[in-house]
Amino acid sequence: MASWVLHAMLKDKRILLIVGGGIAAYKSLDLIRRLRERGAVVRGVLTKAACEFVTPLSAGTLLGERAFTDLFDRQSEFDVGHIRLARDTDIVVVAPATADLMAKMAHGHANDLATAILLATDKPVLIAPAMNPRMWSHKATQRNLAQLMSDGIEIVGPNDGEMAEARESGPGRMAEPLEIVAMIEGMFARASSGKPLAGKRVLITSGPTHEPIDPVRYIANRSSGKQGHAIAAAAAQAGADVTLIAGPVNLPDPAGVRVKHVTTAQEMLSAVQAALPADVAIFAAAVADWRVAQAGDQKIKKGSGGTPALSFVENPDILATVAKPGPQRPALVIGFAAETENVIAHAKAKLASKGCDWIVANDVSPATGIMGGDSNSIHLVTTQGAEAWPSQSKADVARALIARVADALAGKRQ
Ligand code: C5P
């Protein structure tokens, strides 16, 4: 897209910027300038903690109007009110989003002006997290992040690098103002392109399956379901009618998606068949290839006759079953190939053997950190060849894949 088009993208757009209390707050002052020089109409809210880092006066000077600071400020409640602040905008941007603000957002707190606005708004929300790397990687923050993503909140950053405080480095630096601007422009661009999958039915499998050995033991794999769930969320955001068949995962159900929870491969197949017909089927689940032939009714006891001899039978191949030609076959069937070696060659072979249209191939060797991690680097393998996509977050892979699906359904490209 030509840069003047992007520059025009923010003209007269109303942006409500919430500044959280972190050292990165000083960059938000520059963000205000960058947004206003692109013609955006920016309103600012500073949390109490933000006022320790930047003053309402400096923010107000750059905004060209006073910055809002307090839920119980009678004058601002009388003039505008937190509900109007939340609604009379086209987007809400939180920069920096501290660990504390993310936690409050994830749990729906509303005990100050910023959090009350975030709970009251019906507009898209973008957050630019910024915090110490340990705070970022803490399980609690990652849990909150997963919740916010599944609530449809967009994330930019954090970047890797030196922290302001004592010689620490790692993920936690707030995205640069121009990166935040680019993300906001992208969100408006997507919104103005409408809902490219409106009226389409999309079926997605995600997560592992668990195959019982006896009532207390099972065979599983390391799939987290993060990529499949992100695809379901992206498809719903693109306006599709989405059914997600989810194996046992530790993730919240994505917003706006019909979710059927299953445990075994056989249950997954039945749920998939019950959800057909669909325009698009995406098989991101790591389905167990085998199940125990005769799962015990009672817990197998140790000590009696040495180690138990388990025999296996093959599970139904859900992807291959759905990809078979026939009246129920979706127009586009997409499989995944998680490999630890010869990724593209295996994916090409799988494309043919499973009868699907595309394979999303990735290297899941432990060193890549992809399995269970938040980013992914994939190859999209089609009958035309293999494309290497840049390493990006699973949410971004999901959005790019869904955009590609929309193009394919519209006949724009394979
Ligand atoms: O053959 P492999 O299991 O590696 O193929 C992976 C692809 O096939 C994934 O898309 C996975 O969801 C799908 N699959 C399936 N049912 C199976 C095995 C794999 O749908 N039983």
Side-chain angles (χ1 to χ4, degrees):
M1 204 180 284
S3 66
W4 65 267
V5 179
L6 282 184
H7 264 82
M9 188 66 81
L10 295 187
K11 175 125 183 46
D12 298 329
K13 291 287 186 307
R14 297 167 308 165
I15 299 175
L16 181 70
L17 174 66
I18 294 177
V19 182
I23 181 66
Y26 77 92
K27 289 201 222 170
S28 301
L29 298 182
D30 188 36
L31 177 61
I32 296 171
R33 287 186 52 214
R34 302 293 175 191
L35 293 170
R36 291 195 68 205
E37 71 193 14
R38 284 163 175 74
V41 181
V42 188
R43 274 189 158 161
V45 171
L46 270 57
T47 64
K48 201 157 168 251
C51 296
E52 302 288 331
F53 292 89
V54 291
T55 67
L57 182 61
S58 47
T61 306
L62 290 164
L63 288 164
E65 65 167 37
R66 63 176 287 225
F68 298 91
T69 51
D70 192 346
L71 182 56
F72 305 109
D73 173 343
R74 263 194 230 146
Q75 192 57 45
S76 62
E77 273 302 300
F78 184 73
D79 289 346
V80 222
H82 64 281
I83 300 291
R84 270 189 53 200
L85 274 176
R87 305 272 167 83
D88 289 357
T89 186
D90 297 312
I91 188 173
V92 180
V93 178
V94 186
T98 59
D100 181 63
L101 253 180
M102 285 175 63
K104 285 180 171 153
M105 287 173 76
H107 293 90
H109 290 210
N111 59 353
D112 63 7
L113 180 58
T115 51
I117 288 171
L118 286 160
L119 202 60
T121 193
D122 54 355
K123 297 300 183 322
V125 177
L126 169 69
I127 65 170
M131 66 198 72
N132 171 280
R134 295 240 170 107
M135 293 170 82
W136 173 252
S137 52
H138 194 284
K139 278 186 185 156
T141 305
Q142 292 300 310
R143 253 196 326 269
N144 293 333
L145 176 68
Q147 180 65 57
L148 294 174
M149 286 166 79
S150 92
D151 291 347
I153 284 170
E154 303 263 358
I155 324 280
V156 54
N159 295 340
D160 254 44
E162 289 273 310
M163 293 291 112
E165 70 262 28
R167 287 180 295 283
E168 275 198 61
S169 69
R173 278 172 68 97
M174 186 171 92
E176 295 303 320
L178 286 180
E179 292 176 85
I180 300 175
V181 167
M183 185 74 181
I184 296 170
E185 285 170 335
M187 286 172 71
F188 280 118
R190 282 201 295 279
S192 69
S193 80
K195 301 274 183 196
L197 289 186
K200 301 290 178 193
R201 288 175 59 111
V202 177
L203 169 62
I204 299 166
T205 68
S206 180
T209 63
H210 286 180
E211 307 297 331
I213 295 171
D214 66 22
V216 296
R217 304 182 180 96
Y218 58 85
I219 293 169
N221 61 62
R222 295 187 197 282
S223 167
S224 66
K226 284 182 183 172
Q227 186 63 81
H229 277 55
I231 293 169
Q237 276 164 23
D241 174 337
V242 185
T243 303
L244 173 67
I245 315 293
V249 291
N250 241 330
L251 297 171
D253 292 348
V257 169
R258 190 179 308 106
V259 185
K260 175 95 180 78
H261 294 273
V262 298
T263 305
T264 67
Q266 287 174 301
E267 287 168 13
M268 191 173 269
L269 174 64
S270 312
V272 162
Q273 283 171 329
L276 288 171
D279 300 286
V280 182
I282 304 175
F283 295 89
V287 184
D289 289 317
W290 305 280
R291 67 177 181 277
V292 175
Q294 221 91 88
D297 291 340
Q298 303 296 333
K299 186 178 168 193
I300 303 170
K301 290 285 186 202
K302 78 175 168 194
S304 39
T307 53
L310 295 179
S311 59
F312 293 91
V313 287
E314 204 165 313
N315 267 330
D317 191 316
I318 306 167
L319 165 59
T321 307
V322 174
K324 277 206 189 87
Q328 288 271 60
R329 188 194 193 275
L332 189 58
V333 178
I334 305 172
F336 271 63
E339 303 288 350
T340 53
E341 55 176 347
N342 298 331
V343 176
I344 295 173
H346 280 139
K348 283 185 174 159
K350 205 161 282 182
L351 190 69
S353 69
K354 304 256 185 181
C356 56
D357 304 294
W358 301 350
I359 288 272
V360 176
N362 54 13
D363 184 346
V364 292
S365 310
T368 64
I370 287 174
M371 211 113 185
D374 289 318
S375 60
N376 203 354
S377 54
I378 66 135
H379 284 85
L380 183 68
V381 180
T382 70
T383 48
Q384 316 288 304
E387 291 170 27
W389 286 15
S391 175
Q392 52 195 326
S393 70
K394 287 183 177 175
D396 284 344
V397 169
R399 280 192 282 267
L401 184 68
I402 288 301
R404 192 61 182 267
V405 164
D407 280 356
L409 291 187
K412 287 194 198 145
R413 60 197 292 206
Q414 229 280 316

